[in-house]
Amino acid sequence: MKLSELGEFGLIDRIAGQVTPMPGVRIGIGDDAAAVDCTPGFSSLVTSDMLTEGIHFDLGLCDPETLGRKSLAVNLSDIAAMGGRPRYFLLSLALPRDLPVDFLDGFIRGLLSMAGEFDVTLIGGDTCASAGGLVISVTVMGEQLPERVITRSGAQPGDLIFVTGTLGDSALGLRHLRNGERTGPAIRKHLDPPPRVREGLALAEAGIPTAMIDVSDGLLADLGHILERSGVGAVIDLNRVPLSGCFLGHRSDLEGDPYLLPLAGGEDYELLFTAPPLQENAAGELLARLGVGLTVIGEITASGGLKVVAADGSDYQPAFSGYNHFSSVN
Ligand code: ADP
Ligand code: MG
């Protein structure tokens, strides 16, 4: 079946029919606006991310389910980076008229499977036709006590710099996909990144991070945002940047700088945060309980920008620092 046969309202009904009712949603899909409850005393955290065909995804390289999962995951990651608990989300779609309904069914299935894993509920959105490619916009609402919300601006000189999981896998996976490969852990990380929601929430509830961000544009670019907003500098030890077994296994096929992908690759959706050295053990134990690795990669300094030290102690000069949508060198 084609979308044109189903129609806008048929499609909205089809989506609404798959949503499980959840506590807190007083009015969901079907009215002019949704009405939801927030926990008394908590601040709402609201974030939006758009994914466009040809820029963020290529329909030839992903299946609809994982595209649905990733569309929500990248937004959940932003709530995680604030230390929040995600609760509700909106889905806006601009759809090419010839998109098969099967594709949309798979997309919604994937999206709602990710929603189920993190207890978030679809409460509305918007649907329109696209004269170009597919455009997906997701808005997530989360919440946290105002004093527990973690921003980018609280890093202090002397804080350690921590990163969850490993870096560079997603960018490696994208290279593999572009080379015609279809399976493997790096490809999985690129197509279906797990948002670190439980980790961000647990860290915030324990009062550990002074500043936090999710690594979406690449380590150097995202750490740069923390440094700029906090008015501090940093020294990163290249040797300590966490790499997966898969990444190390493929490192020799990477032409040029082997650190390019871990430092600037982007889309890893790991959490990058700063915390006083006294919190190192607590942070490690907390993440270990959640089954996710944690690595100290450097330290915050009073000034001096971002310095990366290579294994031999020399200054490392990366070729470029991260993804920028309007740059001509991507
Ligand atoms: P309006 O014309 O008032 O904007 P719509 O016809 O766009 O209303 O939407 C009707 C209902 O369907 C609203 O509750 C809206 O939030 C919901 N909705 C529309 N598109 C989507 C979508 N893609 N996913 C989930 N809910 C949607
Ligand atoms: Mg509308």
Side-chain angles (χ1 to χ4, degrees), residues 271-293:
L271 291 176
L272 175 69
F273 64 94
T274 56
L278 268 175
Q279 297 279 18
E280 185 176 354
N281 288 344
E285 281 165 21
L286 193 151
L287 271 283
R289 249 181 276 140
L290 294 168
V292 174

Side-chain angles (χ1 to χ4, degrees), residues 73-143:
V74 301
N75 282 276
L76 295 178
S77 179
D78 281 322
I79 298 287
M82 303 295 289
R85 180 188 299 282
R87 294 203 59 188
Y88 311 111
F89 73 104
L90 295 138
L91 169 68
S92 296
L93 296 169
L95 304 166
R97 286 192 173 79
D98 60 357
L99 197 73
V101 172
D102 270 359
F103 181 94
L104 269 168
D105 283 343
F107 174 82
I108 297 296
R109 216 171 25 248
L111 183 90
L112 295 179
S113 75
M114 176 61 66
E117 284 172 30
F118 293 97
D119 279 337
V120 285
T121 315
L122 181 58
I123 56 166
D126 199 22
T127 305
C128 63
S130 168
L134 172 61
V135 181
I136 303 157
S137 171
V138 173
T139 300
V140 175
M141 290 176 62
E143 60 180 28

Side-chain angles (χ1 to χ4, degrees), residues 8-9 12 31-32 92 125-128:
E8 178 186 341
F9 301 110
I12 295 173
D31 218 305
D32 294 310
S92 296
D126 199 22
T127 305
C128 63

